[in-house]
Amino acid sequence: MAAILKPSATAPMRRAPASAWRGAALGLGAFALLAVAGWFSPRWLTFLVTMSAANGLVSLGIVCLMRGGVVPFGQGMLFAAGGYTAALAYNKLGFTDALGLALAGGVAAVVIAAPFAPLLSRYRGIFFAMLTLALSMVTYGLLMKLDALGGSDGFNMGRPTLLGRKLPDARVGYILYVVTIGIATAMALLARVFFDSTRGLVTLAVRENELRVEYLGGSVRQAMTINFILAAFCGGLGGALAVMSLGHVEPNFSYWTTSGEFVFVAILAGWQSVAAVFLASTVLEVVRSFSSAYFPNTWQLALGLFLLFVIRFLPRGLGSLWTKGGGR
């Protein structure tokens, strides 16, 4: 048995460094290309891509959980946690650095999600989805009622700084754009490394057969707990970046329709490819923007038809277009 397993166990280890370096080169190349393109793009386009990257980070966390066979409908809670943390740190503590605010949003989301992770790791299917949805709606209700957090109107956030420097008026949108896509690129590369690691492959095994994973000595609950924590960090990070670009935070960040949009992106992307998550988020923003401009009263119908088209012809998401064997 050991002789049979030895080649298959050692072969991926030889290929892993080359694959990792290739992925890093592609990621850095994509970041450089987007940074250069953003310099010549109109403001509305850089803002659209900025929001797509921030929202894509939240959906990346959903994909992390989807690989384990569960779909959360409460990522809006973590999105709001990151956004409110960044805005409060700016307004109450006077902390204005964009990178620090983004990190604070991710850490705050992890702190909020950590107590619930062991409980949620026990559930699957509709139970997991409804529990996460309930947490998100409870958060929405609290944010609506707490006057200290702005109540139903939320509150504004000023312009952040970067490494101690004030952002110039003419290029503030472009700088936040570069910061957002830079963080998104770094998280995408880390997610790819995690998905290809032993822990990430165990997550796929959990999706296929939990009982077999337990028989082989793995811990299903531990794997799902870790995935939920990682998804929380991605959600808080995306929330903080979105609020810095919008300049405003409100309870709707935690509303169920917001969580549904993140799930929409995750389904559109599929779980095979990390890059597909951000591509799907951009596609959603483009479809929503142009649909609301040309069909202001029926743009939701256009989104629904678009999703039905993708499910019919690409049931495993956009990532199946270039992932080996993804279309089967």
Side-chain angles (χ1 to χ4, degrees):
M1 180 66 70
I4 295 174
L5 292 178
K6 187 175 180 181
S8 61
T10 57
M13 294 178 62
R14 296 191 187 103
R15 293 194 298 267
S19 177
W21 283 112
R22 184 168 59 252
L26 290 174
L28 293 176
F31 168 73
L33 180 62
L34 288 172
V36 173
W39 180 265
F40 300 100
S41 300
R43 291 185 178 181
W44 68 267
L45 183 57
T46 57
F47 177 77
L48 186 147
V49 177
T50 301
M51 294 304 299
S52 299
N55 294 336
L57 282 170
V58 188
S59 297
L60 181 61
I62 295 179
V63 169
C64 185
L65 290 168
M66 284 175 60
R67 290 169 63 89
V70 295
V71 179
F73 278 83
Q75 286 297 97
M77 175 186 71
L78 306 172
F79 185 66
Y84 271 88
T85 298
L88 289 173
Y90 185 96
N91 291 334
K92 303 297 183 182
L93 303 180
F95 187 70
T96 61
D97 185 74
L99 297 177
L101 291 173
L103 181 61
V107 172
V110 169
V111 171
I112 292 175
F116 303 104
L119 170 66
L120 293 173
S121 64
R122 300 170 54 186
Y123 294 94
R124 302 290 182 271
I126 190 64
F127 301 102
F128 183 90
M130 290 297 100
L131 282 173
T132 53
L133 176 61
L135 290 174
S136 180
M137 292 308 296
V138 168
T139 303
Y140 171 77
L142 291 174
L143 294 175
M144 289 287 289
K145 298 297 182 182
L146 292 176
D147 294 333
L149 297 179
S152 59
D153 295 327
F155 57 95
N156 294 329
M157 174 184 174
R159 182 180 302 172
T161 60
L162 183 62
L163 301 178
R165 293 180 176 271
K166 184 179 179 180
L167 302 184
D169 294 339
R171 288 295 175 183
V172 59
Y174 173 74
I175 294 174
L176 289 177
Y177 162 82
V178 172
V179 170
T180 304
I181 64 173
I183 293 176
T185 301
M187 291 301 298
L189 293 175
L190 291 175
R192 186 70 269 168
V193 171
F194 175 74
F195 292 164
D196 292 338
S197 67
T198 302
R199 177 88 44 193
L201 296 177
V202 167
T203 301
L204 291 180
V206 169
R207 175 177 180 166
E208 298 299 328
N209 195 319
E210 293 187 19
L211 187 59
R212 186 171 296 176
V213 172
E214 295 285 352
Y215 280 162
L216 293 174
S219 174
V220 173
R221 292 188 61 183
Q222 182 186 58
M224 298 307 297
T225 298
I226 293 174
N227 288 342
F228 189 75
I229 295 297
L230 294 176
F233 182 77
C234 290
L237 201 62
L241 291 170
V243 167
M244 283 189 284
S245 295
L246 290 171
H248 184 77
V249 64
E250 59 183 16
N252 282 334
F253 275 46
S254 186
Y255 198 55
W256 69 269
T257 54
T258 304
S259 299
E261 290 179 2
F262 298 139
V263 175
F264 181 105
V265 171
I267 295 174
L268 180 61
W271 56 267
Q272 300 92 348
S273 173
V274 173
V277 178
F278 296 97
L279 176 61
S281 182
T282 304
V283 169
L284 173 63
E285 289 295 330
V286 170
V287 172
R288 177 165 53 188
S289 297
F290 283 92
S291 297
S292 59
Y294 293 102
F295 312 104
N297 297 321
T298 58
W299 66 270
Q300 295 95 336
L301 176 63
L303 280 179
L305 292 174
F306 178 72
L307 181 60
L308 288 175
F309 178 84
V310 172
I311 292 175
R312 172 62 182 84
F313 295 101
L314 290 172
R316 301 190 70 182
L318 295 177
S320 63
L321 291 174
W322 60 82
T323 303
K324 185 178 180 181
R328 290 196 295 269

